[in-house]
Amino acid sequence: EARACRVQHRQPKPAKAYELFKEHGTALRGLVKENLMAESQVDEFLAKVHDVPLDDIQPDPELRELIASVPYPFWVFTASIEEHAVKCLEKLGILDLFEGRIISASSRDMVNRCGDYVTKHDRRCFEVAMAAVGVPPEQAHRCVFFDDSTRNLKTAKEIGWRTVLVGLHARDTGERITCADADVSIDRIHEAREAIPEVFAQQPAY
C-alpha cells in the first residue's frame, strides 16, 4: 500500500501527460479516470505541481497603475490553483487589487460546479466564471478577456466575450502568433490602454 501511494504521488512523464491530455481533455482528468491517482490526492497533486520558483517575477508599478485605472469590476480567471495565483499577484505587487476576485479553473469549487475536472478553455469554466461574478449569459458581450492562449480566446469568443490576445510571439520558438478569435492583439499587457481605450473609459462603448 505504501509503495502504491508513492507511485501515485509521482508526476506523470511529459509524454504520458500529453497522452492523457489528448485522451481525456486534461492530464488531471486522465490520471483520475485511469486510476493513476485517487480523488483524495488531487488537491495535494495540484499544490505540488504549482510549487515552483517565482524568483523571476518582480513588482510591476506600471501594471499596477494600469489595472487600478480600470473603472469597472475586474477579476483574475486562471488555470492555476488560487494559492499559486495569489503568490504571483503578490510578487507583482497587485494582489490587493484582486482580493476576492480570483476564479480558478483548477479549484475544487470549479470541479464541483462543472461536475468534472476541466481546463480553463472548457466552455463550462467560462459559464461558471460569469455566474460567479453575476454576469447573465445575455450580457456576455460586456466581458473583456485578456489572455495569451489562443484556445482560451476561442472559447471566450464563442461564448460572446470580447477578446484580447496578449503576447504576439511564441515563448519557445519566437514565431509570430496569429489568432482569428482575438478582437485586439497586443505584445504586452501594458499596451492595453492604447489598444482598447474603452476599457479605461468611464462610459463603455459596447
Side-chain angles (χ1 to χ4, degrees), residues 193-204:
R193 194 193 306 273
E194 290 71 31
I196 185 166
E198 57 268 36
V199 170
F200 302 87
Q202 288 295 328
Q203 293 296 326

Side-chain angles (χ1 to χ4, degrees), residues 140-152:
H141 66 282
R142 298 181 67 84
C143 296
V144 182
F145 182 58
F146 295 79
D147 206 284
D148 62 350
S149 166
T150 57
R151 296 186 71 178
N152 293 340

Side-chain angles (χ1 to χ4, degrees), residues 27-203:
L28 178 57
R29 181 191 295 161
L31 286 168
V32 174
K33 298 296 185 184
E34 295 191 12
N35 297 315
L36 298 172
M37 178 184 297
E39 286 268 2
S40 60
Q41 295 176 308
V42 168
D43 293 337
E44 181 182 351
F45 171 79
L46 288 172
K48 184 174 182 179
V49 298
H50 284 94
D51 185 16
V52 296
L54 301 175
D55 298 336
D56 58 332
I57 302 180
Q58 301 297 324
D60 191 333
E62 183 183 356
L63 178 60
R64 180 181 177 83
E65 188 279 329
L66 180 75
I67 296 172
S69 67
V70 176
Y72 308 105
F74 48 84
W75 289 265
V76 170
F77 180 25
T78 178
S80 76
I81 59 175
E82 182 174 345
E83 292 79 3
H84 178 71
V86 165
K87 291 178 182 177
C88 293
L89 294 171
E90 187 173 31
K91 294 279 287 185
L92 286 166
I94 58 176
L95 176 60
D96 60 301
L97 300 178
F98 290 97
E99 288 181 359
R101 297 179 176 183
I102 300 174
I103 302 170
S104 167
S106 298
S107 68
R108 179 59 55 183
D109 179 63
M110 184 67 75
V111 173
N112 292 338
R113 296 178 73 168
C114 291
D116 200 356
Y117 295 103
V118 293
T119 57
K120 183 178 173 181
H121 61 258
D122 191 299
R123 183 184 181 93
R124 290 171 292 179
C125 281
F126 284 78
E127 292 170 345
V128 168
M130 283 199 298
V133 302
V135 177
E138 62 272 17
Q139 293 187 17
H141 66 282
R142 298 181 67 84
C143 296
V144 182
F145 182 58
F146 295 79
D147 206 284
D148 62 350
S149 166
T150 57
R151 296 186 71 178
N152 293 340
L153 291 166
K154 183 176 188 298
T155 306
K157 192 66 176 177
E158 289 173 350
I159 208 168
W161 293 12
R162 296 191 69 198
T163 52
V164 181
L165 171 67
V166 181
L168 302 180
H169 299 87
R171 299 175 189 174
D172 51 350
T173 65
E175 293 182 1
R176 175 82 180 197
I177 298 174
T178 58
C179 181
D181 298 298
D183 296 312
V184 177
S185 297
I186 56 180
D187 197 34
R188 300 169 65 244
I189 188 65
H190 306 78
E191 301 168 5
R193 194 193 306 273
E194 290 71 31
I196 185 166
E198 57 268 36
V199 170
F200 302 87
Q202 288 295 328
Q203 293 296 326

